[in-house]
Each structure stands twice: as C-alpha cells, then as structure tokens.
Amino acid sequence: MASDTEDFVFIDHEDVAAAARPPFLDAISDHVDNIADGLWPVNLKIHDNPELGFNEFIAHETLTSFMKTQEGWTVTPSAYGLKTAWVAVYDSGRKGPVVSFNVEMDALPGIGHACGHNLIASASLAGALATAHIISRHNLPGKVVIFGTPAEEGGGGKIKLLNAGAYRDLGVDVSLISHPGTIPDAALMRTAAYTRFKVEYFGREAHAAAEPWKGINALDALVTAYNAISVLRQQTMPGDVIQGYITDGGVAPNIIHAYAAGIFVARSATQSRLKELRAQVGACFAAGAQATGAELEVTQLGAYADHVPNRALGARYAGYFNALDPPYLIPSDQDVDEIRGTTMASTDQGDVSYAMPSLSPAFSITPGPNNSGPHNPGFAETAGTRESFDKCLRVGKALAGTAVDVLTQKGLLEEVKREWRDATKA
C-alpha cells in the first residue's frame, strides 16, 4: 500500500516483504510440507541403518522403492554398473533446462551417519519432488534428475558416475546438493582439494640385537618421513592440511622391521596448490627411503577436486532460504557468505563442480553432545532427530526454488554457465 503526501511516498513494510518474496515459494513450501510425513520414514530408515560406501543396499532399496511410488518418475536401480547407484527422471516432455539433485547414502565406519547423509538425501528428495510439482502445475519445459550417489566418504561415487557418462547422458545443466554441519547457514560452500594415498617401505629383516647392521629398517624410514612432514607443516600455506596414520609398524621388537606402511591425506584450497603440496610431501617420503636404504612404494587411493560454488545459483538459493524465515539469514554479501561457507573438508561434489555448475549450500543443525560436529558419534545422534529433518526440508525448499528459477527465468542458465566457466578457469 502506498500513498502520496506532498513529495513523500509511504510504502507499507508488508508491501516490501511481498515484493521480495520469490513467486513460486509458497507453492514449493506447501508441497514440501504436504510430503514431509512421507519423507520422514525414508530419512529415518537410512539414518537407523548406516551402511558403508558401495554397500548402501538398504538405502538403495528404500529410496528407489519410494521414488517408484511418485507419479511421473522413471526410476533405474543399480545404474551405470554400480549396485547401489540409481537414477530417477521426471521429464516434462518439452525441451528445456535439466536440473539435477544428488542424493548421498553412505555412513562412516563405526560412527554411523555422523556426516548426516540421511539429511542430504532428504533435502535433495524434497527439492526434486517440489521442482517436479511446479513443472507439472505450471506446464514448464525441462527435466529433473535425481542421482543416488554411493560412497561419498572416500569412494568417489559421483566421480564414477561422471566417468561413466551419467550426467552427460541426461544432459544435466546444473547439479544441486547440500550438506549439514554446525557452521552457519551459507549458500556458497567451498571445500578443499584432497588426495589420499598409501605409503609402503620395504626393508630387510635382521636380529635387532645381535646383527642390526644387516637389516634395513622400514619403520625408521616411515618415522623419518613422518617427522619430516611435521617439520614441513611450519612452512606450508594457510589452508594446507597433511594427515596420516601408521597401519603397519613391524612384527616384533627384536626384529629389524622389514615392512612399514601408512595411509596419508593432503588437502589444499585448490587443485593447483594441492599439486605443489603433494610434491613437497612426496619429498619427505623419498627422504625416509634415502636415509635408511628402504624401498618406497606409493599407491594412489583417491582424490577429490575442490568444490567451486556458483554465485548466480547461490544468489537464488539465498533469496529463497531467507524468505523462509530462518533463525539466521544468509548474508547478501556473497564474499561474506563464501567465507562463512569455506571448509577444509572435501567431497566428490567438487569434481562435479568442475564438470558443470554446482551448488552445495551448508546448513546448520544443532550440535551433538559436547558440541560435537560432523564425523563425531554425537553428530550422528542429532542427524536423526525430527528437528534436523525439518531443517533439511527448509533447505530442500530453497534448492527447489533455485531449480525453478533456472527453469523459468530467461537468461539465468546462460548467466550460471558463464559464471561457472570463469570461476573454474580461475
């Protein structure tokens, strides 16, 4: 409501709020609220039956069975040669943008869903189903695709799907997902590049007391390298992380150790910096071999690219999320938002973000006991609550709004792809 009085124009606050509210938000929100009670048992079944990567058989059956009950969706279980991967497609029958949602399913060894993948799955399901509802209701062109992506925790299920052509075959334009944590809500989550490898040293046995000079001590080689890495850490760049543990350290104290091994991880803010750090770390392991005479063997176990968030998508997400009246708003300043969303954790969604525009918002849930965050048993506990589930549904609504904007706003997809090309090139 506005009125003119001399040179002044008075605008009612409610008019401002209504003008700022995204046009499809109410329909999206109502639909997610309507299906929430149907999604809750799916969420709980995944949470209460934690399964390790590539063995998410209960989650696979639960999710594909649920999607087969949804009208208009075509579901493919055990897709692209992966037993627990799956694909669901909602096709309007009219050519338009293709938006996808990734569903994670795997848990962590010994501590269950301490990364909240059940919530990631539920948010993506809610977002995809709401997007399909808007397509149907408004006769929009385009397609919605859900990918069930196994083994995010080190197995790289999304990378396997990328390499198998899953995203290419379905012509995916943008990829959407989310991740819970205890950091503030953020539209722009940037993760670290990551590489994981096994280090082995091969020496020669000898009696450790009578004739130690006849042996070559593999454990000494590994300890030397471990200490060299500890010294290296004081000269690494901010954002560099080196982690590792010894898996094999010998068989008896009176035998010169002929074999020693460990698993190590290096992380950096970008792939280019990670390459430099990996070379420095490699020199430390080579030094251990040279100092002791042991033979060194390094086996690559996996690598994830850093996640590059898309700001054009992030602006739409933040607009929807903030309009849903959360306790704390996502900052309108995207530089501030990205700082809040930056983490040294890693994900195979990073590789997706180099293949196509990606958005992986961070959302905050209540910490577990003793203020525990992800990868702690207490976080697995809080990830199974109805309160956390309700928070992930808010995220699903904002993801759906982002997808609908891509489908309906002229020129937005071109802007998203242009920004993606510039960001990944940089």
Side-chain angles (χ1 to χ4, degrees):
M1 173 174 57
S3 62
D4 294 328
T5 303
E6 298 181 352
D7 295 329
F8 299 95
V9 176
F10 295 95
I11 301 176
D12 193 283
H13 177 74
E14 292 181 0
D15 294 337
V16 176
R21 194 168 181 82
F24 292 98
L25 179 59
D26 291 335
I28 289 170
S29 184
D30 289 346
H31 186 72
V32 172
D33 290 344
N34 288 338
I35 64 175
D37 287 344
L39 287 173
W40 170 244
V42 175
N43 177 82
L44 209 56
K45 187 69 173 287
I46 297 170
H47 177 270
D48 292 350
N49 296 275
E51 301 165 293
L52 300 184
F54 300 118
N55 290 285
E56 310 97 330
F57 296 108
I58 295 173
H60 175 274
E61 173 61 25
T62 301
L63 289 161
T64 55
S65 295
F66 173 79
M67 287 306 303
K68 287 176 181 177
T69 68
Q70 304 304 303
E71 185 178 352
W73 288 85
T74 301
V75 183
T76 305
S78 299
Y80 289 92
L82 299 172
K83 290 183 178 179
T84 55
W86 56 276
V87 181
V89 179
Y90 184 92
D91 192 345
S92 71
R94 300 171 60 201
K95 186 175 181 180
V98 181
V99 293
S100 72
F101 294 79
N102 283 336
V103 167
E104 293 180 4
M105 303 170 285
D106 60 319
L108 289 158
I111 55 176
H113 277 289
C115 214
H117 288 189
N118 59 301
L119 299 175
I120 295 173
S122 295
S124 288
L125 284 182
L129 291 170
T131 303
H133 172 71
I134 298 299
I135 288 176
S136 174
R137 181 173 175 177
H138 294 275
N139 194 29
L140 301 177
K143 188 184 299 183
V144 186
V145 182
I146 305 175
F147 292 103
T149 62
E152 188 276 338
E153 296 291 350
K158 297 182 191 66
I159 299 171
K160 293 183 183 299
L161 287 170
L162 275 170
N163 293 339
Y167 297 84
R168 180 186 63 243
D169 290 350
L170 291 163
V172 173
D173 290 303
V174 300
S175 178
L176 304 174
I177 195 172
S178 60
H179 204 294
T182 54
I183 63 172
D185 298 306
L188 303 176
M189 185 166 70
R190 182 176 287 276
T191 65
Y194 149 104
T195 182
R196 182 171 180 264
F197 51 95
K198 182 177 184 178
V199 174
E200 297 175 283
Y201 288 100
F202 299 90
R204 184 169 61 233
E205 295 94 339
H207 196 292
E211 297 179 310
W213 54 86
K214 291 186 177 180
I216 297 176
N217 198 319
L219 181 59
D220 283 353
L222 183 53
V223 170
T224 297
Y226 195 98
N227 288 333
I229 289 170
S230 297
V231 174
L232 172 66
R233 283 193 179 103
Q234 69 175 324
Q235 294 172 287
T236 55
M237 294 179 65
D240 290 344
V241 177
I242 310 168
Q243 305 157 285
Y245 70 103
I246 295 173
T247 58
D248 298 88
V251 294
N254 61 345
I255 302 173
I256 295 295
H257 310 298
Y259 178 76
I263 304 294
F264 290 83
V265 165
R267 302 177 196 259
S268 292
T270 64
Q271 293 184 87
S272 58
R273 171 55 194 163
L274 180 61
K275 185 177 180 181
E276 297 171 352
L277 179 64
R278 180 65 182 83
Q280 292 176 293
V281 172
C284 294
F285 288 115
Q290 185 172 4
T292 61
E295 294 184 10
L296 169 65
E297 184 173 314
V298 179
T299 304
Q300 185 68 33
L301 298 179
Y304 290 168
D306 50 302
H307 181 261
V308 181
N310 187 276
R311 291 196 167 200
L313 292 174
R316 269 65 187 182
Y317 176 88
Y320 276 90
F321 186 88
N322 288 345
L324 287 162
D325 195 28
Y328 303 101
L329 300 179
I330 293 173
S332 58
D333 186 327
Q334 290 193 306
D335 289 337
V336 175
D337 180 32
E338 189 167 333
I339 290 171
R340 295 204 325 176
T342 296
T343 172
M344 287 312 297
S346 304
T347 172
D348 54 1
Q349 185 72 18
D351 293 78
V352 175
S353 76
Y354 276 88
M356 67 199 70
S358 168
L359 193 70
S360 179
F363 66 96
S364 180
I365 65 173
T366 303
N370 299 317
N371 203 37
S372 57
H375 289 222
N376 181 287
F379 193 79
E381 180 180 327
T382 196
T385 65
R386 183 72 190 219
E387 177 191 10
S388 295
F389 173 73
D390 289 341
K391 289 181 177 179
C392 90
L393 292 187
R394 179 192 289 134
V395 173
K397 293 175 182 180
L399 288 175
T402 305
V404 170
D405 278 1
V406 170
L407 293 167
T408 58
Q409 291 190 7
K410 186 177 181 180
L412 176 56
L413 182 57
E414 288 73 17
E415 178 189 350
V416 166
K417 290 188 174 182
R418 182 170 57 251
E419 199 267 329
W420 166 71
R421 286 190 295 268
D422 293 342
T424 52
K425 188 183 299 182

